[in-house]
Amino acid sequence: MSDPKINFRPNVDLPVTSESTPDQSTPATPASGGISDITDSLESGAGNVDSLREIYQTAKAQGKLLMSEGTLNHFLQNNMKPHQYPEAFSDLKGWVNNNFLLNEDQHQQVQALTAQDVQKVQDAGSLAAKLNIPIKLSFNDADPTNTGPKAITFREVQEPKPDPGQLSPAALLFGSDCGAGAVSDKLQQVSAELKKQAE
Amino acid sequence: MTIQERAFAAIAKGCYHDVDKIQLDSTLDDIADDSLIRLQILFELEEEFKTQIPDSVARETKSVREVIENLTTLLTAAKA
């Protein structure tokens, strides 16, 4: 799967459409397998789960998804084909707003995207479409010391790596991380090993 | 519809997958590597079966098979 590190500030998963105001500083916990591990990260447990349940229903009623890095990537990888990225990203802000229920903070971040940020995502989407591989976006805080609303930044859009099924023969021999340098290094290594054996 | 069919449909709805992608032996990690999505699956299951799945049960449920088993237990207990 491609991972073009398009960095996005960490979002908070709870949109503002609920009457309750969940703690917006609480990120989701890493997955650990159980259905409701996320409750561990919610300060008041069941109350916040109830809020989330309500927000989820709101999102569903609007035909939208809750926004988090996980849901965004899950959607990009499981519900879209790579060839659909360029069209979706051609109006990135509109696409996000149309498909995801955003809280106020997330909404501001999306609006704060610069033309350059958008272009990076579009370029990554085009590349992923060309290579027919799914894309993964990473959220990253632009400035961890900034306690106010933070701009979404997209940094270091890396070329997606092909899926194993699309690897070149060299990649199949030497692993997926097979840039020209890596292949050359590996060849030298193999050559050295062969020489040793011959001696 | 059987409990399994209803559970498969609810899980698929919660994780935006086609229902035919849900397999009995899949783990929830296989289906969704994001905790928020797994929580959505929980909401869908609760809505489908009109029941509240206790947090302790939800935390220990790691596979689709366990989802079915735990739901069956919960529904049986509710009927009794």
Side-chain angles (χ1 to χ4, degrees), chain A residues 28 71 105 157 161 172:
Chain A
T71 56
D105 193 30
V157 179
K161 287 180 183 173
L172 290 170

Side-chain angles (χ1 to χ4, degrees), chain A residues 63-78:
Chain A
K64 293 183 178 181
L65 314 178
L66 295 182
M67 171 59 100
S68 74
E69 183 175 311
T71 56
L72 174 65
N73 283 311
H74 189 86
F75 185 73
L76 288 169
Q77 291 156 17
N78 295 290

Side-chain angles (χ1 to χ4, degrees), chain A residues 12-27 41-45 47-56 66 103-105:
Chain A
V12 184
D13 303 329
L14 309 174
V16 290
T17 47
S18 169
E19 285 176 11
S20 57
T21 310
D23 176 11
Q24 299 211 341
S25 66
T26 310
S41 70
L42 300 176
E43 278 190 354
S44 58
N48 270 325
V49 173
D50 287 343
S51 299
L52 201 51
R53 183 182 282 110
E54 188 184 327
I55 296 162
Y56 176 58
L66 295 182
N103 66 20
E104 188 57 38
D105 193 30

Side-chain angles (χ1 to χ4, degrees), chain A residues 105-116:
Chain A
D105 193 30
Q106 291 171 335
H107 182 72
Q108 285 178 21
Q109 292 160 38
V110 169
Q111 292 312 311
L113 285 173
T114 66
Q116 274 180 324

Side-chain angles (χ1 to χ4, degrees), chain B residues 9-71:
Chain B
I11 291 169
K13 203 189 273 188
C15 65
Y16 323 121
H17 277 316
D18 291 332
V19 72
D20 58 8
K21 282 194 178 175
I22 311 299
Q23 303 292 324
L24 198 55
D25 290 320
S26 304
T27 66
L28 295 169
D29 268 348
D30 292 337
I31 294 171
D33 60 4
D34 181 65
S35 54
L36 180 58
I37 293 175
R38 289 203 297 274
L39 200 59
Q40 293 180 180
I41 292 173
L42 174 71
F43 296 158
E44 291 293 345
L45 288 167
E46 289 183 342
E47 191 179 318
E48 172 62 29
F49 291 97
K50 306 280 184 287
T51 188
Q52 187 97 14
I53 298 173
D55 199 45
S56 56
V57 173
R59 282 171 199 277
E60 295 305 314
T61 304
K62 309 286 186 195
S63 68
V64 174
R65 188 182 297 277
E66 287 174 9
V67 168
I68 313 286
E69 288 169 359
N70 291 336
L71 273 170

